[in-house]
Amino acid sequence: MSFTLRPLPLPGILPGSGDAPKNIPDTSRSAAWLQGGMAVLDAEEKIVQINEHLALWLGVKAEEAIGQLAELLLQKRDIACALKFKELWNRGAFAEADFSSSSQQSQEWFTMEVARHAGGGYLRLNSSLPPLFELEESAWDEHLGNNAARRQMFIRLLRAEAQLNNLIHRWPGVIFTQRADFSFLFVSERIAELTGVDSMEWRAQPTLFWQAVHEADAEELQQQFKKLSPRNDRHSGTYRIRHAQTGRITYVYEHREAIFSSNGLLLGYEGVWLDVTRQTIAEKRLSSAAWKETLAILTMGLAHDFSNIMAGILSLSEAFQAQVDKQHPFQEGLALIKRNSMQASQLVQRILNLHQGKVGERNYHSLNDLVADTVEVVRKIIPRRIELSTEYSSEQLPLYVDPVEFRQVLINLTLNAVDAMPQSGHLIFKTSRCQEYPVLNHVQGTLPRTPAICLTVEDNGVGIPEKLLKTIFDPFFTTKAMNKGNGLGLYNARLFADKHHGAISVQSTEKVGTTFQVWLPEADFSENERFDEEETQQRHTLLLVGEAPRDIEGCAKFLRQNGYYVVVPGPDQRASDVLSSPDYQFAGVMLLHTREATETSTALDQITSVNSKLKKILQIVGCNQDELDTQILSKADLVISSDVPQPEVLLRLTSLLK
């Protein structure tokens, strides 16, 4: 089965027959219907050879067309054809397109294919059938009406085309027919959303497929494709693809069927992609949570037993040391046993502390103490090839944080740094108090007001390419193979920073190293009351949309600093998709309206259509409320004009969202 539907010549209009529907107006002295028109061109776009079908359609003799520019001949016959030819010729190696051309007498539909190489190229042009709705009241309908069988066949063909078109546009994934060299004979347009490459480019360049597949999955995928045979012609599985423009990672579930000739020659593939990123996130989180819960129970039990054993060793060493004379040769050995058993007991206690804490319990802690405790545990698990050092601030660094989540973030950053130094390296932990922020190019979250507390994790590993720095905090971003990393470590670090009203930044240079910095607000010892108040009053989540990025950034920062969770759609995300996402429980949508905004009314209607219960807040920026149509204002649950002071804005939001 092929997903590509090619226009077929109607009965009585066979290639070479010269017959065309009698009721179609003839727009020139040449035939209106063209089938099998071909021409060979040189590097300057001049015609070297041309067949009779195309020459007749152009209104010239074949010998007269030799040496003339193809674009000029097409322009004399049909301007739309000439423009389309120039567009496809400039694309490169191979291109094709379906298009229509209108004139005062009629409208025609064409399929054009153009191939180009260093020495020239070729042009292939065919008339094609227009859509069904264009035919119902046209001369075609009258022509086909004279023959019931012919009309029935034609209508069935158009309905099949319409059904296929609906499937392509409504199917949530990608449908494709692929050649053996992995270029696409046909691919639905949604592939551009997932990969950042237009569907037309996919049809011409075989290398694009393997450029889009995640580099860590490519080798294994190639091996799986090599196993396909006439007896085993199906492949189903999940792998990652990367967006060419943003670097965003998408997990796709693919079902692929290989097509073989009768003698076993591979002709190509047909299949579908389905975006399963959200399902994969949920599965990995559940799997990870279940395993962590099991591991915690096992570790707690083993650590408890080990602690009892070490307590016995410590007691015996103390008792024997007290009974042995200070000058006895056993004295030094017993002292060593006692010292090591005490260190082992302290290490076990730290492990127990990691497991006993519950996520969500915030309290006041010293950054230096948190880092020191975690580093002592980390020292035991990192390879000896890694040199570890610490630089603690001499100042007091009070934080109001969840210590369990903080340790998880620090351990994840440490393990990432170790992976970046496969041979050897130097890992540094720094703590500091920041009065003024340095220049930061890649920041996630909202930088807190100064003075701020900073944790720095620095390595001299392989570094991160500049083009990936914008996406490393996205869920599932990883350069490791699928079975060696889940890509949630830095994503969780970003969530931790957001949750604690802070930010995380990254600076990296390839072959030099990487520095992560976690920026958190310094505790002023009033957080306990404010946190309790936040817990009592539900912390609301708002979707922030608008057409002015700077205004959105400032508004998001203001709302986050005052206790709101704020979600801003990415440049390649639609607000309606975010609004429908199961990842968030939105209380409302804040729409920023500027003087230049033109889609405010439509956006408010779309919000209502997605979820009519959501509160709609219209924030007016840079213009007067009186300039807006009253119908637009009536669609919002709350209108905030540009002259309302910030404290009043907070009061109105609180009142609305209660």
Side-chain angles (χ1 to χ4, degrees), residues 62-123:
E63 56 271 18
E64 294 175 356
I66 305 300
Q68 296 194 47
L69 287 172
E71 183 181 0
L72 293 180
L73 282 179
L74 288 169
Q75 190 172 2
K76 292 178 182 178
R77 175 59 174 82
D78 192 292
I79 294 177
C81 285
L83 294 175
K84 185 58 65 175
F85 165 76
K86 195 65 178 178
E87 176 190 337
L88 299 183
W89 181 266
N90 290 333
R91 282 190 186 178
F94 180 83
E96 62 177 333
D98 296 322
F99 64 99
S100 63
S101 171
S102 300
S103 66
Q104 293 182 353
Q105 292 83 13
S106 67
Q107 185 169 14
E108 299 177 85
W109 286 262
F110 300 96
T111 295
M112 181 181 290
E113 298 178 8
V114 174
R116 181 182 177 187
H117 54 81
Y122 76 81
L123 163 67

Side-chain angles (χ1 to χ4, degrees), residues 641-657:
S641 58
S642 56
D643 58 348
V644 176
Q646 290 184 344
E648 180 64 22
V649 171
L650 295 175
L651 288 175
R652 294 187 185 183
L653 286 175
T654 302
S655 176
L656 174 69
L657 298 176

Side-chain angles (χ1 to χ4, degrees), residues 452-473:
I453 305 300
C454 178
L455 164 67
T456 302
V457 180
E458 181 180 338
D459 68 69
N460 61 349
V462 296
I464 304 171
E466 176 67 26
K467 65 179 182 179
L468 301 181
L469 290 177
K470 295 181 180 180
T471 57
I472 60 174
F473 295 101

Side-chain angles (χ1 to χ4, degrees), residues 213-269:
V213 174
H214 194 286
E215 56 274 10
D217 299 341
E219 184 177 353
E220 181 181 352
L221 194 62
Q222 288 172 352
Q223 296 301 322
Q224 292 176 0
F225 288 169
K226 289 179 180 179
K227 296 178 183 178
L228 294 175
S229 66
R231 294 185 178 181
N232 177 31
D233 61 351
R234 296 184 180 182
H235 167 264
S236 296
T238 301
Y239 56 90
R240 293 167 290 182
I241 57 174
R242 193 190 299 279
H243 195 283
Q245 308 299 327
T246 65
R248 186 186 72 242
I249 299 297
T250 302
Y251 280 72
V252 295
Y253 173 80
E254 177 188 85
H255 178 79
R256 170 187 298 261
E257 293 192 12
I259 305 170
F260 293 91
S261 65
S262 58
N263 59 357
L265 178 67
L266 177 63
L267 301 177
Y269 308 91

Side-chain angles (χ1 to χ4, degrees), residues 25-77:
D26 191 356
T27 57
S28 71
R29 59 189 176 91
S30 59
W33 183 266
L34 173 63
Q35 188 69 31
M38 293 187 64
V40 179
L41 313 176
D42 63 15
E44 297 178 353
E45 304 177 34
K46 293 181 179 179
I47 296 176
V48 178
Q49 291 181 344
I50 186 171
N51 67 358
E52 291 292 338
H53 301 297
L54 183 57
L56 176 63
W57 185 83
L58 290 173
V60 297
K61 294 181 179 180
E63 56 271 18
E64 294 175 356
I66 305 300
Q68 296 194 47
L69 287 172
E71 183 181 0
L72 293 180
L73 282 179
L74 288 169
Q75 190 172 2
K76 292 178 182 178
R77 175 59 174 82

Side-chain angles (χ1 to χ4, degrees), residues 138 150 216 233 395 416 516 593 601:
S138 68
R150 184 183 296 176
D233 61 351
E395 299 182 82
N416 285 344
F516 285 97
H593 175 87
S601 180

Side-chain angles (χ1 to χ4, degrees), residues 492-630:
N492 289 331
R494 188 189 82 180
L495 295 181
F496 169 84
D498 284 340
K499 185 177 179 180
H500 289 79
H501 308 292
I504 182 170
S505 63
V506 60
Q507 294 176 312
S508 186
T509 303
E510 289 189 80
K511 299 182 181 180
V512 176
T514 303
T515 300
F516 285 97
Q517 292 178 293
V518 181
W519 307 89
L520 297 170
E522 183 179 34
D524 59 7
F525 301 98
S526 65
E527 289 85 3
N528 203 356
E529 294 181 11
R530 286 191 278 112
F531 183 73
D532 290 342
E533 185 177 347
E534 285 182 9
E535 291 295 310
T536 304
Q537 302 176 357
Q538 180 185 359
R539 191 175 181 192
H540 298 292
T541 302
L542 296 176
L543 178 65
L544 186 59
V545 295
E547 301 178 23
R550 288 187 179 180
D551 294 329
I552 289 179
E553 183 179 348
C555 185
K557 181 177 180 180
F558 165 70
L559 292 171
R560 286 170 180 152
Q561 288 177 344
N562 287 278
Y564 288 91
Y565 289 118
V566 181
V567 179
V568 179
D572 55 345
Q573 285 182 304
R574 294 185 299 181
S576 58
D577 292 340
V578 178
L579 205 57
S580 304
S581 170
D583 296 341
Y584 306 102
Q585 296 294 326
F586 289 107
V589 181
M590 177 174 280
L591 180 64
L592 267 62
H593 175 87
T594 59
R595 192 183 303 275
E596 295 78 16
T598 58
E599 302 294 332
T600 301
S601 180
T602 303
L604 289 169
D605 291 336
Q606 289 177 346
I607 294 168
T608 303
S609 65
V610 174
N611 189 340
S612 59
K613 296 181 180 180
L614 284 176
K615 300 297 184 181
K616 298 181 288 294
I617 303 121
L618 185 61
Q619 170 77 62
I620 302 174
V621 180
C623 62
N624 196 304
Q625 179 175 334
D626 296 335
E627 299 177 23
L628 270 72
D629 193 320
T630 54

